[in-house]
Amino acid sequence: MRKDLLAYFALTAICIIWGTTYLALRIAVLHFPPFLFIGIRQVIAGLVLIVFMLTLGKAKLPGTSHLVRQAIAGFFLISMGNGLVAWAEVHIPSGVAAIICSLMPLMVILINLTVNREERPTFPIVIGTLLGFTGIMMIFSEHLEEFSNLNYFLAIFLTFIAVLCWAGGSVWIKKKHTDTNPFLNAGLQMFFGGVWMFPFSYAFDDLATLHWSMEAFYAMLYLVVFGSIIAYTCYSYALRKLPMTIVSLYAYINPLVAVILGWMVLQEPLSVRMWLAIAITIAGIYIVNRGYQLRGLWKTQFSNR
């Protein structure tokens, strides 16, 4: 029970912290090449966490096959999932990026329908997920006129690819579950994911304009400490302890945090329609959680017959 409580605490931290990182990332990529920024951020965060776990955490460096597995996970979760969103935020607002990323639970459900029989969703889970998605789309509808811009459209498309890679990578790494340290795994995934970003940066970033600014520095500091070390470690832990579809619900909370943060910090309008969308999304999250509780109860009753 205590372990489950800690896992839900970690999930709560993810919901809040990653909701704020969209704004920080938006500030950063407007002042620094996006792929290079992600590479530096994740390599630093990964090295800090790896060194900490191998020394004070007394973890042991795993074998080659496990390192390869973490490198693959880092590519899909960090390089593709995080890197493409960073590039996209050069052209789209942080709130829009967060809203698109809320599709992650639906991606997880679709993937689980084919690869993971144990976590196939029940009817209430599907209904709750669709209800939450409806709330997110109500928020997204405020920006439909921007699709006439080609860079905007490309950024939207790449964000969809990022979400698919993040969902697929998360399901894959959970399916490859081992008893190794989840915190060390998080550090390895961040490190390898960051290393993958340097070829991306060489190929696609405009490095001729490279220069540090105070905005980029403070964004880097916040994202390394909170967005990477703390939140990604919490994600790895929650992914180990909770069902994938429950963990993926953070993607519904993140855009709500991003929208409310924009309203509080940037005085962006928050209409009655927005509040209604938030209420619908929260209702969807409750139904999904209730669906998992009922599924566990049904399994228990069935096994006792």
Side-chain angles (χ1 to χ4, degrees):
M1 180 65 181
R2 184 178 178 183
K3 290 183 179 179
D4 288 343
L5 186 63
L6 184 59
Y8 277 104
F9 178 79
L11 183 57
T12 301
I14 297 165
C15 292
I16 297 172
I17 295 173
W18 273 350
T20 67
T21 56
Y22 288 95
L23 178 60
L25 186 58
R26 169 73 171 170
I27 293 171
V29 298
L30 291 177
H31 296 86
F32 203 82
F35 290 132
L36 182 60
F37 181 87
I38 294 298
I40 295 173
R41 166 196 169 185
Q42 300 292 6
V43 165
I44 292 175
L47 284 175
V48 169
L49 192 53
I50 290 170
V51 171
F52 177 84
M53 292 309 303
L54 292 179
T55 54
L56 298 180
K58 298 181 179 179
K60 294 182 179 180
L61 193 65
T64 302
S65 62
H66 185 81
L67 292 175
V68 170
R69 199 155 52 239
Q70 301 311 312
I72 294 173
F75 175 78
F76 284 102
L77 291 168
I78 301 298
S79 305
M80 298 296 289
N82 195 211
L84 292 182
V85 172
W87 185 91
E89 285 202 35
V90 176
H91 304 285
I92 62 176
S94 59
V96 172
I99 290 166
I100 298 171
C101 289
S102 70
L103 287 170
M104 210 275 279
L106 283 181
M107 296 289 189
V108 168
I109 283 180
L110 293 175
I111 293 171
N112 275 332
L113 284 174
T114 58
V115 303
N116 193 345
R117 292 180 178 272
E118 293 182 358
E119 290 199 18
R120 284 190 174 185
T122 59
F123 182 73
I125 294 171
V126 173
I127 293 299
T129 302
L130 291 176
L131 185 62
F133 177 67
T134 299
I136 294 300
M137 287 298 99
M138 289 177 64
I139 299 173
F140 187 55
S141 65
E142 300 284 330
H143 302 273
L144 290 179
E145 68 279 359
E146 300 291 341
F147 276 90
S148 59
N149 185 308
L150 180 60
N151 284 334
Y152 186 96
F153 179 80
L154 180 60
I156 294 292
F157 174 75
L158 290 180
T159 307
F160 274 105
I161 298 299
V163 174
L164 179 60
C165 290
W166 184 278
S170 297
V171 172
W172 181 81
I173 199 66
K174 186 172 181 63
K175 196 174 179 65
K176 298 291 183 179
H177 164 73
T178 64
D179 292 330
T180 53
N181 191 302
F183 305 115
L184 179 60
N185 290 345
L188 291 170
Q189 290 166 21
M190 286 189 289
F191 172 76
F192 286 119
V195 170
W196 287 116
M197 293 311 304
F198 293 120
F200 279 68
S201 177
Y202 181 79
F204 300 108
D205 279 338
D206 183 8
L207 299 178
T209 61
L210 176 61
H211 71 281
W212 277 102
S213 66
M214 292 307 297
E215 291 87 349
F217 173 77
Y218 287 126
M220 175 73 77
L221 185 63
Y222 177 80
L223 289 170
V224 165
V225 175
F226 290 93
S228 293
I229 296 176
I230 295 177
Y232 196 77
T233 300
C234 289
Y235 182 72
S236 294
Y237 183 79
L239 199 61
R240 171 74 68 86
K241 301 296 182 180
L242 299 174
M244 181 64 240
T245 316
I246 288 292
V247 176
S248 70
L249 290 176
Y250 79 86
Y252 281 155
I253 304 296
N254 287 170
L256 305 183
V257 173
V259 169
I260 293 174
L261 189 63
W263 171 63
M264 295 177 61
V265 177
L266 303 177
Q267 288 77 50
E268 296 176 351
L270 189 57
S271 63
V272 174
R273 179 187 176 89
M274 286 286 203
W275 283 116
L276 179 60
I278 290 172
I280 291 173
T281 302
I282 293 174
I285 293 170
Y286 171 79
I287 293 173
V288 171
N289 278 279
R290 185 59 179 164
Y292 262 99
Q293 293 171 4
L294 290 175
R295 186 173 71 170
L297 179 62
W298 294 336
K299 284 184 177 179
T300 301
Q301 292 176 346
F302 182 79
S303 62
N304 289 335
R305 290 183 178 180

